[in-house]
Amino acid sequence: MSTMTTDQTAGAAVDRSETETGRRKLFVKSYGCQMNVYDATRMADVLAPEGYDETGEIAEADLIVLNTCHIRERASEKVFSELGKIRELKMERAAAGRETLIAVAGCVAQAEGKEILRRQKAVDLVIGPQSYHRLPEMLRLAKAGPVVETDFPVEDKFDHLARPSNAKVQSRGVAAFLTIQEGCDKFCTFCVVPYTRGAETSRPIEKIIEEATYLVQAGVREITLLGQNVNAFHGLDENGAPCNLSALVARLSHIPGLLRIRYTTSHPNDMTDDLIAAHRTQPALMPFLHLPVQSGSDRVLQAMNRKHRVRDYIDLIARIRAERPDIALSSDFIVGFPGETEAEFQETLDLISEIDFASTYFFKYSTRPGTPGAEMADQVPEDIKSERLARLQKLTDAQRHAYNAAAVGKIMPVLFEKKGRHPGQIGGKTPYLQAVHVDGPDHLIGSEALVEITGTSTNSLFGCLAEQIS
Ligand code: 5AD
Ligand code: SF4
């Protein structure tokens, strides 16, 4: 399961009005993980042939899609407060004679289904993450009254998704996401993903290569392969033979123009030797690994049903570092899992100190209905969770600052992705996923150049161009 939890809005404003073009406007807001960001782009792709152009302005949208996240209570509840505001907008537009359709997609849609219609009557369509290829048909039905579509269909949604235009791919930037695996069979006791995204499935190799080739031909230079359990990937190749993630990476690395490959999110138990070795042997595979461990206590790990011990994780990291000493490591942690004692929390702090992560994501345990964790005795009080979170944050902030500070003086290849915040600045990423800003020309966007790192700020690095390399 993936982490970088920013709210994202797909789309750039389009100036033409509906009356001029006969086209309508679509606003998609995504919550939660990168897979939702990817899904949002694919929903826009499926709706483009239906006459929908994306807009960044919610007030001018004829169709508003909230692509939701159910991973923690706060993420789920955000949706209902947002829907309250959208309802007002729908009423204002109706008063001006303009129709607005409201769709709730993603994991809250899957988990709550009809309950969403009960809580917010302005919603026209509730559609689960496995069905968004059916959006056009469902929207037609929704014109006649609210529709809920949360079945896990037998057909593969990816076979029914329209391709984006080259211009559309380019507007989304040089770093793209590509879902290769979905769902999870691990059933960690805190997690809703096995219920909202369903059983683990992998896409066929041929389809992934086709999509990646298409993206790269349109200008994409970095692809992050996505999956809730991406390193458990086991897609079939053209001959029907199973192919794992390292074999897929090797195949993708032959695509001319694809400079960087990343993958997320992985489970420690699926880190195979060949995948570890690929971090040394495949130059396009970036030296960054997000490998959530969740806790530093064996008792808590067992209660979480993680199926490995702390020692296994430490040994695994040692094996990974033996192959790729410079690899940057990142992890997720949950604080205040039911029954977590002060001593067990201290074990988490000890593990973090021992591993020395480049970055970490941490969350207060949030009770999710339907998961075994919700039934456990000894729920940890909120104030204790908050206090532990603050201590964990202090430690991990210090680690991240030290990691970034160690980059100063080094020369690294940076893939430039966009203009910087200030005129004349461009922004990109190091191989270790650190954001870097330099003074440089816009034409470098989409290529790698060597940068000497000269300084750091809270969340990014500064540097100056050393020499262009591609
Ligand atoms: N409460 C808090 N954090 C959770 N995560 C998953 N489920 C929960 C929950 N119920 C965290 C895990 C996971 C990340 C995506 O979200 O750390 O790796
Ligand atoms: Fe959730 Fe665990 Fe599956 Fe990750 S491995 S998606 S945390 S159940």
Side-chain angles (χ1 to χ4, degrees):
M1 182 64 226
S2 184
T3 37
M4 288 111 213
T5 50
T6 49
D7 298 348
Q8 299 247 358
T9 302
V14 179
D15 309 324
R16 296 160 300 162
S17 72
E18 184 190 344
T19 40
E20 268 174 53
T21 61
R23 292 183 71 82
R24 284 161 293 175
K25 291 188 178 168
L26 161 71
F27 177 90
V28 188
K29 181 162 182 171
S30 265
Y31 300 83
C33 65
Q34 290 105 326
M35 194 172 289
N36 265 11
V37 176
Y38 173 82
D39 287 349
T41 61
R42 301 315 307 264
M43 285 187 234
D45 295 343
V46 117
L47 291 168
E50 298 289 312
Y52 283 100
D53 294 317
E54 288 174 80
T55 173
E57 292 296 328
I58 191 166
E60 62 176 27
D62 303 289
L63 169 59
I64 299 170
V65 180
L66 292 189
N67 191 25
T68 61
C69 171
H70 195 58
I71 197 94
R72 285 170 289 275
E73 189 179 0
R74 189 118 64 93
S76 290
E77 284 307 311
K78 247 194 222 171
V79 175
F80 291 100
S81 61
E82 188 76 27
L83 281 174
K85 287 186 234 154
I86 293 173
R87 175 177 168 268
E88 308 264 301
L89 192 64
K90 181 170 177 159
M91 285 180 345
E92 279 165 31
R93 279 176 52 98
R98 288 187 295 169
E99 189 192 32
T100 316
L101 287 173
I102 303 176
V104 177
C107 292
V108 177
Q110 188 64 42
E112 307 258 345
K114 276 209 249 359
E115 175 65 11
I116 295 174
L117 296 181
R118 196 191 61 75
R119 282 183 68 176
Q120 182 46 268
K121 299 210 162 30
V123 171
D124 299 285
L125 172 61
V126 176
I127 186 159
Q130 302 311 332
S131 307
Y132 59 73
H133 57 297
R134 300 184 62 200
L135 262 172
E137 179 193 343
M138 293 299 140
L139 286 170
R140 277 190 279 279
L141 289 174
K143 296 239 174 196
V147 176
V148 177
E149 170 60 46
T150 52
D151 285 347
F152 285 91
V154 275
E155 79 268 15
D156 181 353
K157 68 178 173 221
F158 295 107
D159 288 341
H160 300 267
L161 295 174
R163 243 187 201 182
S165 65
N166 272 5
K168 191 83 234 174
V169 173
Q170 280 153 17
S171 75
R172 290 172 181 161
V174 295
F177 294 131
L178 200 174
T179 291
I180 63 166
Q181 179 279 336
E182 224 176 321
C184 180
D185 295 338
K186 298 248 178 343
F187 290 93
C188 298
T189 52
F190 51 80
C191 187
V192 285
V193 166
Y195 312 98
T196 54
R197 291 273 172 172
E200 207 182 292
T201 52
S202 296
R203 290 178 69 188
I205 303 289
E206 207 179 339
K207 297 282 169 59
I208 297 167
I209 297 198
E210 196 183 294
E211 188 172 329
T213 307
Y214 180 75
L215 291 172
V216 175
Q217 280 169 358
V220 164
R221 293 290 166 262
E222 171 177 305
I223 292 182
T224 301
L225 306 172
L226 298 181
Q228 269 94 24
N229 248 293
V230 74
N231 58 341
F233 174 82
H234 55 275
L236 298 179
D237 71 10
E238 294 81 347
N239 305 315
C243 172
N244 67 9
L245 183 58
S246 70
L248 175 65
V249 167
R251 293 277 305 266
L252 290 170
S253 66
H254 294 303
I255 298 176
L258 180 56
L259 303 178
R260 294 181 168 194
I261 303 171
R262 303 180 185 276
Y263 61 91
T264 198
T265 289
S266 298
H267 191 288
N269 289 358
D270 294 315
M271 240 13 250
T272 55
D273 287 343
D274 50 315
L275 183 58
I276 297 172
H279 280 280
R280 175 176 49 82
T281 58
Q282 297 291 338
L285 186 60
M286 290 295 99
F288 182 93
L289 179 60
H290 181 62
L291 195 61
V293 60
Q294 314 292 357
S295 168
S297 148
D298 280 338
R299 197 215 46 90
V300 174
L301 287 179
Q302 192 174 16
M304 287 176 164
N305 192 32
R306 292 290 294 179
K307 300 194 183 87
H308 66 78
R309 292 161 307 162
V310 177
R311 187 76 248 162
D312 302 323
Y313 188 81
I314 294 171
D315 291 347
L316 174 60
I317 298 298
R319 277 164 47 220
I320 294 166
R321 282 183 164 150
E323 289 281 352
R324 186 76 208 226
D326 63 332
I327 199 159
L329 295 164
S330 143
S331 175
D332 293 339
F333 292 92
I334 293 179
V335 298
F337 186 76
E340 184 191 69
T341 63
E342 170 59 28
E344 287 165 348
F345 172 67
Q346 188 58 51
E347 290 183 274
T348 297
L349 296 180
D350 293 346
L351 177 65
I352 293 172
S353 299
E354 175 161 357
I355 301 286
D356 210 0
F357 291 100
S359 63
T360 38
Y361 301 86
F362 33 83
F363 312 97
K364 283 195 249 181
Y365 172 70
S366 168
T367 318
R368 306 313 289 131
T371 60
E375 309 299 320
M376 289 180 186
D378 292 337
Q379 299 285 330
V380 175
E382 273 311 298
D383 56 337
I384 296 190
K385 286 186 204 168
S386 301
E387 185 267 333
R388 288 183 187 164
L389 195 81
R391 278 150 72 199
L392 200 130
Q393 173 141 30
K394 205 165 155 211
L395 175 62
T396 55
D397 276 358
Q399 267 189 2
R400 195 180 66 250
H401 290 150
Y403 185 79
N404 285 340
V408 175
K410 288 190 181 153
I411 293 181
M412 299 189 199
V414 170
L415 174 61
F416 287 104
E417 296 176 5
K418 56 184 181 198
K419 291 185 187 195
R421 236 175 284 142
H422 305 294
Q425 232 185 23
I426 49 177
K429 300 265 167 56
T430 70
Y432 311 103
L433 210 59
Q434 295 148 298
V436 188
H437 292 97
V438 304
D439 287 334
D442 289 357
H443 70 78
L444 283 184
I445 295 171
S447 57
E448 268 188 337
L450 287 176
V451 168
E452 182 176 349
I453 307 299
T454 53
T456 66
S457 73
T458 323
N459 287 318
S460 58
L461 306 176
F462 299 105
C464 51
L465 287 171
E467 176 206 351
Q468 194 176 333
I469 55 172
S470 64

